Amino acid sequence: PTPFAKIRVMDNNTLLSQTTSSESVPYSRVPAGFVSYRPVLEEDIETISEIESNSYPEDEKASLETLRYRCINAGEMFLVATEHGGSENEIIGYVCGTCVNENETLTAETMGSKHEPDGAILCVHSVCVKENRRRRGVGGKLLQTYLMYLKARNNDRKRDNQSELKSVRLLCKKHMIPFYQNGGFTLLGESEVTHGKDAWFDCEFTLLEDNKE
């Protein structure tokens, strides 16, 4: 996967690492409970699949194959949160997404089965936290770190005269709307997408203003 853009320490207990190998972090220097963020590794996918399975109903979760596809083809949009626990870092959450072209309508297909590397719209598929780490603010920090990364990525791509993301879109259930609104997303309304038995709502986070001169 492409190494993440340069993002510094976010607070006293949060760090976004540019590590591309699970063997690269000097664990002995990191205090227990320290949360850091890094690009996904293909070796992470089975653990991530377990978290996914414990986070969504059977008819809504992404399959192992789908998660692997996102890791391989959209790794730049796949952020993993790890917590230091002594001899190793434990994966406690992740965010993943794929890009679509600006003129595409969000459908069940565009929300999961393909990735356009130069697409202007990022569709977030999962914002998941391990069950025993929930209700501790991990999800909110994970989402904010992900959005900060996307802004930094846009700055880097603008500097290199490459295409930038214009917005981040996601679908969520009604009870999750306040969580995403607190993270800076705007509710656009109920989605026409059918996935599982419950209604979904379309939310958007605009990056366009960060791209203006």
Side-chain angles (χ1 to χ4, degrees):
T2 304
F4 274 43
K6 300 178 287 296
I7 299 185
R8 273 64 66 183
V9 174
M10 319 305 292
D11 57 41
N12 289 334
N13 199 40
T14 310
L15 175 69
L16 180 63
S17 171
Q18 288 184 276
T19 303
T20 56
S21 168
S22 58
E23 302 298 324
S24 302
V25 180
Y27 295 124
S28 61
R29 301 180 185 177
V30 182
F34 189 94
V35 177
S36 61
Y37 302 88
R38 62 165 172 78
V40 68
L41 305 172
E42 194 167 353
E43 64 198 58
D44 298 330
I45 294 303
E46 289 192 8
T47 299
I48 286 172
S49 182
E50 287 184 24
I51 299 175
E52 178 91 9
S53 295
N54 291 327
S55 301
Y56 295 105
E58 186 67 26
D59 59 348
E60 296 175 9
K61 69 178 184 179
S63 67
L64 179 65
E65 292 74 21
T66 297
L67 291 168
R68 195 178 306 280
Y69 171 87
R70 294 171 186 169
C71 170
I72 294 171
N73 295 282
E76 192 177 11
M77 302 300 173
F78 208 137
L79 179 68
V80 175
T82 66
E83 182 179 271
H84 182 66
S87 61
E88 61 181 18
N89 278 1
E90 176 186 5
I91 295 174
I92 62 171
Y94 62 93
V95 184
C96 66
T98 52
C99 294
V100 298
N101 295 321
E102 185 176 4
N103 58 354
E104 289 193 63
T105 302
L106 264 64
T107 64
E109 181 181 357
T110 58
M111 282 296 294
S113 64
K114 63 178 183 177
H115 173 61
E116 298 290 345
D118 295 322
I121 310 299
L122 171 63
C123 299
V124 170
H125 307 302
S126 299
V127 181
C128 291
V129 174
K130 195 172 182 179
E131 192 170 10
N132 63 358
R133 296 298 195 280
R134 293 174 189 166
R135 302 189 184 280
R136 301 184 185 182
V138 174
K141 288 184 178 180
L142 174 58
L143 182 61
Q144 287 301 306
T145 302
Y146 189 69
L147 295 174
M148 291 182 71
Y149 157 67
L150 295 178
K151 293 177 182 179
R153 175 187 180 275
N154 263 1
N155 290 336
D156 286 348
R157 291 180 70 85
K158 182 177 182 179
R159 181 196 61 212
D160 296 335
N161 295 316
Q162 296 178 330
S163 60
E164 304 164 67
L165 289 173
K166 292 189 174 181
S167 69
V168 183
R169 300 280 292 275
L170 59 81
L171 301 178
C172 71
K173 294 184 178 180
K174 188 173 183 178
H175 72 280
M176 291 299 296
I177 292 174
F179 171 79
Y180 289 108
Q181 287 179 323
N182 288 338
F185 283 78
T186 299
L187 175 64
L188 300 181
E190 187 169 345
S191 173
E192 296 181 0
V193 172
T194 301
H195 185 53
K197 63 180 181 179
D198 297 322
W200 293 87
F201 292 83
D202 194 354
C203 298
E204 180 178 42
F205 183 91
T206 301
L207 293 167
L208 182 63
E209 291 183 358
D210 294 307
N211 299 333
K212 290 181 179 180
E213 293 295 334

